[in-house]
């Protein structure tokens, strides 16, 4: 077994407590490869922000669990090399779907895991989450549970319709499971196609689709039931239209791709929402940069020549999210 502390990682407990008190949210960025990891770590260090490196089940299979362990350790050392004496980096399993997967990640050095039993009947969700918590807490690993179902598709996570979190269940769930944070459903959605066109209205000034607002009344009710408890928002990419436009300009075909408005995420970040998940935005930034290189330099075949610009574009995106959306910049005094 590898304990995350041996890798220089931290769990989410202290950073969440500070985030709630300070009225900001910790960025939780999904990654699948080295370029994404480099961009995330560099952006976090340059903005002096704690950061959560998220790995889905699919990403773990893609990258290999052994390589991930060393990539996480390398991320900590890279942050120090960039000048951050005491980086706060979490390695988190996103949407774990079984006890066995969560246990395997904990045993391989993850400092935080999510067990997603939201698709199960309530009592089964409670039992599964509690089982993961009991194992994880032996090793000081933090656990995120989920109540409510998010629509959309991302890796293995797929649901056609969302179900808002029932505020009446959150006290019972948090108390019985012992989870450290709770992902809730208030209208966010996975993927780049979060809403159907008929759910949106058209902005007369820009001609772009505007999605329906998030259900902040559900968030307020949850916070009333669980004051000071760490809340998580999944499916919170904003799907930057400039990246979508670039992709489409250079041969892509993303039609009606739309995300969560950043002003709504800023509002959420000032509440008990202390972790906001972002995945699709970095995929779009990466793809846009690569497509542009291929279109403008069709003879190019050196991966460094197109993955380098992709990495730079993702770093720019991450910095923007940290500073202008989540407000987590300058929260590391020794970074």
């Amino acid at each position: 077994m590898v304990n995350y502390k041996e890798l220089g990682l931290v769990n989410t407990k202290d950073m969440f407590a500070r985030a709630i008190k300070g009225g900001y949210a910790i960025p939780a960025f999904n990654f699948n490869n080295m370029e994404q990891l480099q961009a995330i770590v560099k952006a976090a260090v340059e903005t002096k922000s704690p950061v959560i490196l998220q790995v889905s089940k699919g990403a773990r299979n893609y990258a290999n669990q052994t390589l991930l362990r060393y990539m996480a350790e390398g991320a900590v050392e890279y942050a120090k090399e960039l000048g951050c004496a005491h980086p706060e980096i979490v390695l988190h399993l996103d949407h774990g779907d079984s006890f066995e997967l969560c246990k395997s990640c904990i045993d391989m050095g993850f400092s935080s895991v999510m067990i997603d039993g939201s698709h199960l009947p309530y009592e089964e969700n409670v039992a599964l989450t509690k089982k993961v918590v009991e194992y994880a807490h032996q090793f000081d690993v933090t656990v995120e549970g989920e109540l409510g179902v998010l629509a959309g598709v991302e890796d293995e996570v797929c649901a056609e319709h969302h179900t808002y979190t029932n505020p009446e269940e959150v006290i019972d769930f948090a108390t019985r499971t012992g989870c450290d944070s709770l992902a809730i459903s208030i209208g966010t959605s996975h993927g780049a196609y979060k809403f159907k066109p008929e759910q949106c209205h058209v902005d007369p000034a820009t001609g772009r689709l505007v999605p329906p607002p998030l259900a902040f009344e559900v968030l307020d009710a949850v916070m009333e039931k669980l004051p000071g408890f760490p809340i998580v928002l999944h499916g919170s990419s904003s799907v930057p239209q400039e990246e979508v436009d670039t992709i489409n300009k250079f041969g892509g075909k993303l039609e009606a791709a739309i995300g969560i408005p950043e002003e709504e995420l800023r509002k959420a970040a000032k509440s008990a929402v202390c972790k906001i998940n972002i995945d699709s935005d970095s995929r779009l930034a990466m793809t846009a940069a690569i497509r542009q290189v291929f279109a403008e330099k069709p003879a190019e075949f050196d991966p460094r020549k197109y993955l380098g610009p992709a990495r730079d574009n993702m770093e720019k995106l991450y910095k923007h999210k940290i500073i202008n959306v989540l407000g987590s910049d300058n929260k590391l005094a020794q970074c």
Side-chain angles (χ1 to χ4, degrees), residues 66-311:
T66 303
L67 283 175
L68 271 177
R69 166 194 167 183
Y70 291 102
M71 289 175 79
E73 186 174 18
V76 174
E77 295 306 314
Y78 181 41
K80 292 178 180 178
E81 182 182 303
L82 290 172
C84 185
H86 300 285
E88 289 189 26
I89 298 176
V90 173
L91 181 62
H92 175 76
L93 171 65
D94 188 25
H95 285 289
D97 59 1
S98 69
F99 170 78
E100 291 74 21
L101 175 59
C102 291
K103 180 181 183 300
S104 177
C105 288
I106 293 166
D107 292 348
M108 287 296 291
F110 280 61
S111 57
S112 178
V113 295
M114 179 202 183
I115 179 64
D116 182 0
S118 61
H119 59 287
L120 298 171
Y122 179 76
E123 288 297 330
E124 292 182 30
N125 188 4
V126 169
L128 177 58
T129 305
K130 181 180 180 181
K131 184 177 181 181
V132 172
V133 167
E134 289 175 345
Y135 184 78
H137 282 185
Q138 296 178 76
F139 309 103
D140 202 27
V141 171
T142 42
V143 178
E144 176 185 326
E146 180 165 0
L147 273 177
V149 178
L150 270 70
V153 179
E154 193 165 325
D155 282 0
E156 294 80 13
V157 181
C158 178
E160 188 171 345
H161 303 287
H162 71 257
T163 303
Y164 288 146
T165 300
N166 181 356
E168 298 302 321
E169 294 177 339
V170 295
I171 296 177
D172 180 73
F173 186 86
T175 302
R176 290 172 61 191
T177 64
C179 64
D180 302 285
S181 60
L182 183 64
I184 66 171
S185 174
I186 62 170
T188 55
S189 179
H190 292 119
Y193 297 93
K194 299 183 185 298
F195 306 98
K196 296 177 181 178
E198 57 266 28
Q199 294 177 280
C200 308
H201 70 271
V202 177
D203 184 341
T206 64
R208 295 189 186 277
L209 293 175
V210 178
L214 297 180
F216 280 99
E217 69 276 9
V218 175
L219 173 58
D220 291 341
V222 169
M223 290 192 298
E224 183 179 341
K225 298 288 184 181
L226 289 176
F229 194 82
I231 302 300
V232 177
L233 286 188
H234 284 244
S236 297
S237 285
S238 299
V239 187
Q241 292 303 298
E242 63 271 20
E243 305 295 357
V244 173
D245 291 344
T246 299
I247 291 171
N248 290 338
K249 177 182 177 181
F250 294 111
K253 194 174 182 181
L254 293 177
E255 298 177 358
I258 188 169
I260 309 300
E262 290 188 341
E263 59 267 23
E264 298 214 331
L265 297 177
R266 278 190 285 270
K267 179 179 177 180
K270 294 176 181 178
S271 68
V273 173
C274 57
K275 173 176 178 275
I276 291 181
N277 292 9
I278 296 170
D279 185 1
S280 295
D281 285 355
S282 65
R283 297 184 185 195
L284 293 168
M286 185 175 205
T287 300
I290 292 172
R291 278 192 173 275
Q292 183 168 354
V293 172
F294 283 166
E296 295 177 347
K297 301 177 181 179
E300 187 58 72
F301 65 94
D302 183 344
R304 294 169 297 181
K305 300 296 185 178
Y306 53 85
L307 292 178
R311 179 183 58 195

